[in-house]
Amino acid sequence: MQHALSRLSCAAALTLAIGAQAAIVSFDAPTQIDIDNNTNVASYQESGFVLSGQAPSYLTLHTIGSAGSGGLFLVANSPLMLTTAGGGLFSLLGIDYGLFDPDGAGVLTIEGLLNDNSLLNAMLALGGLASFQFQDWSGLKSVTFSATADLVLDNINAVPEPGTAALAALAFSGLVLVRRRARIG
């Protein structure tokens, strides 16, 4: 029985840990954007993450992203928020971004809301499609993107942080192993 419990708890821990792998919101096979008619908030969900903003402010488009892939068009001065689908914490690793009109100019502001309600900020000059890698952007509740010009977002690379359930399963697994070794020895 203990052997079966040990195996079961290890399997549960591994299954839950799979959800903590990196996800890329690529917009390559876009799903439908849902609009709440009462609030006029539009939501787009992909790879375990949700992007939300005012209904007429963004649109997924084919061939505007990296290497001609799909991307997300965001209207100037329209904030767009990224959260996990389950409302948990996550880390932001990188994004591809650029101006929709390559002859324009502007700034992309990225604001991360941490679990303790403090903020992280980054301001990036807009030009041709470029990549940006974030350093130590973890423990985030949400990230908000806003730009002074129409822009394209692509390949949002984020990692959901392991939830309490995964940690509890690992702790349970450890307790079972310790108890089993104590009985053997």
Side-chain angles (χ1 to χ4, degrees):
M1 177 71 169
Q2 287 179 347
H3 192 45
L5 277 176
S6 176
R7 285 184 179 172
L8 183 61
S9 62
C10 286
L14 288 173
T15 301
L16 291 169
I18 289 170
Q21 294 179 355
I24 297 179
V25 180
S26 65
F27 310 103
D28 289 345
T31 59
Q32 183 174 340
I33 295 175
D34 295 319
I35 300 173
D36 183 332
N37 292 325
N38 295 326
T39 63
N40 202 35
V41 171
S43 299
Y44 173 82
Q45 189 167 336
E46 183 182 330
S47 300
F49 287 88
V50 177
L51 289 154
S52 57
Q54 289 301 303
S57 67
Y58 70 96
L59 180 65
T60 56
L61 296 172
H62 293 288
T63 71
I64 67 166
S66 302
S69 66
L72 182 118
F73 167 75
L74 180 62
V75 175
N77 302 310
S78 300
L80 184 67
M81 182 181 291
L82 174 72
T83 58
T84 63
L89 301 178
F90 64 99
S91 297
L92 184 61
L93 304 178
I95 60 166
D96 294 341
Y97 68 99
L99 283 168
F100 182 71
D101 175 7
D103 295 329
V107 173
L108 169 61
T109 301
I110 305 167
E111 185 176 87
L113 177 63
L114 294 165
N115 192 35
D116 66 0
N117 292 324
S118 60
L119 299 173
L120 296 172
N121 290 292
M123 293 183 73
L124 308 174
L126 289 171
L129 202 56
S131 294
F132 184 78
Q133 303 305 310
F134 294 88
Q135 300 297 317
D136 301 321
W137 278 55
S138 58
L140 297 164
K141 287 195 238 182
S142 66
V143 171
T144 303
F145 303 95
S146 183
T148 59
D150 295 346
L151 83 143
V152 174
L153 287 177
D154 194 16
N155 299 326
I156 300 172
N157 189 353
V159 180
E161 293 189 2
T164 359
L167 294 175
L170 284 172
F172 178 70
S173 173
L175 287 173
V176 168
L177 289 174
V178 166
R179 188 169 187 201
R180 182 174 174 206
R181 285 186 181 153
R183 284 193 173 173
I184 293 173

